[in-house]
Amino acid sequence: MSSYESETGWSRHNSFGLRKEWLELYFRHSRNWVNNPSLGNKQVESLRSWLRTSGIEDRLGQQTTFGQEFSSRGTNCLPLWELLWVNVVFNFPTARWYVNLGCSEWTTNELKFLLHLAVPRLAARTVSNAIMELVGFLERTPVGDVLGQGLVVHGRPRRIRRLGWEPSERAVLHCLRCLFVEQGATTLCWDRDLTWPWVVFGCKREFVLGRLTGSEQTSFELTEEGVTRLARGEEW
């Protein structure tokens, strides 16, 4: 059985990908963005969902600390897009599946075929919408081209080229925190098949380990066997 069989929410954004200009509109008109005439009803619902997926808002629709920082620093702040990508990978099964494909190049049709192969129970429409949401997100945000997570080349069908990216220390640490929360563990062994930071960003494992060993962070302890969570409570 596929390891993705228990996952739900493969297509949760009304077939639209998140767009940088949508976030700009949201931050400019945070109290009344839903009434902006530039967004149709389905796009409003799509953005609502993306705000949760990306960690900008919580489940109650309240802006998170991350969302507040994004609002303050602006949508041209690349380090925040790194963090947003981590959130998307851990909150959106389609993105999680995609990063585990590694770095390569595919057409949208090939991605649909591979997703159906990985999760045969998904309806054809769900598979199609899932890939549309993912590719739309990569195409309309800096995550796709600038961060190398999926440069979208126009054509029929479109092609997606994942080159990878060497993330900042903050993005690596955020990814590890998400991974520990997901696993509900205090220690993770390196040899486990998990969504490690090098999987999320498509970079070399050695680069991530170098980031961690060369940092002054106190949240994690690294050994040859794995990584242990040290921080607790508010610090965590």
Side-chain angles (χ1 to χ4, degrees):
M1 178 180 292
S2 167
S3 60
Y4 299 105
E5 280 300 313
S6 62
E7 295 277 7
T8 60
W10 293 87
S11 173
R12 60 177 59 170
H13 308 100
N14 264 342
S15 77
F16 291 99
L18 178 63
R19 304 177 184 181
K20 181 183 177 185
E21 60 264 30
W22 286 3
L23 276 190
E24 292 169 348
L25 183 150
Y26 166 79
F27 289 132
R28 283 198 310 268
H29 308 284
S30 58
R31 295 184 178 180
N32 197 37
W33 67 268
V34 296
N35 296 317
N36 193 287
S38 66
L39 295 178
N41 292 336
K42 289 187 176 181
Q43 292 175 322
V44 167
E45 292 307 310
S46 176
L47 180 51
R48 282 189 197 276
S49 185
W50 275 113
L51 291 172
R52 293 190 297 272
T53 298
S54 63
I56 299 292
E57 288 188 353
D58 60 23
R59 293 182 179 180
L60 298 178
Q62 300 299 309
Q63 198 170 95
T64 61
T65 301
F66 173 62
Q68 293 168 6
E69 183 180 3
F70 223 130
S71 178
S72 174
R73 299 182 67 182
T75 58
N76 289 323
C77 182
L78 204 58
L80 294 183
W81 284 103
E82 289 184 319
L83 303 182
L84 185 144
W85 176 234
V86 173
N87 292 339
V88 168
V89 168
F90 278 91
N91 291 327
F92 185 27
T94 306
R96 173 81 66 93
W97 162 82
Y98 170 75
V99 297
N100 278 279
L101 294 177
C103 290
S104 188
E105 183 174 337
W106 315 266
T107 66
T108 51
N109 289 339
E110 288 170 339
L111 287 175
K112 291 173 187 177
F113 172 80
L114 291 172
L115 179 55
H116 178 69
L117 202 63
V119 197
R121 64 179 171 81
L122 295 180
R125 180 179 293 274
T126 300
V127 169
S128 179
N129 287 344
I131 297 303
M132 285 177 62
E133 291 174 8
L134 174 67
V135 174
F137 167 81
L138 295 172
E139 184 176 16
R140 302 296 288 268
T141 70
V143 172
D145 55 356
V146 183
L147 295 187
Q149 298 309 306
L151 175 65
V152 179
V153 181
H154 287 276
R156 293 189 177 181
R158 289 176 293 175
R159 300 191 68 86
I160 297 84
R161 186 179 302 133
R162 188 174 188 232
L163 303 175
W165 174 260
E166 295 182 342
S168 65
E169 178 183 322
R170 184 181 179 187
V172 169
L173 295 176
H174 180 52
C175 188
L176 282 180
R177 291 189 186 99
C178 290
L179 188 56
F180 271 95
V181 169
E182 176 194 73
Q183 295 297 311
T186 55
T187 298
L188 298 174
C189 295
W190 297 125
D191 60 1
R192 291 188 61 188
D193 183 17
L194 300 173
T195 312
W196 298 102
W198 53 84
V199 176
V200 172
F201 287 98
C203 64
K204 292 188 178 300
R205 169 175 163 163
E206 292 74 19
F207 173 83
V208 171
L209 297 181
R211 275 274 197 226
L212 292 170
T213 55
S215 75
E216 298 180 356
Q217 61 85 22
T218 58
S219 298
F220 305 99
E221 180 182 32
L222 278 67
T223 66
E224 290 186 2
E225 291 74 30
V227 56
T228 298
R229 187 184 81 185
L230 299 177
R232 297 290 187 274
E234 292 184 5
E235 182 185 359
W236 177 252

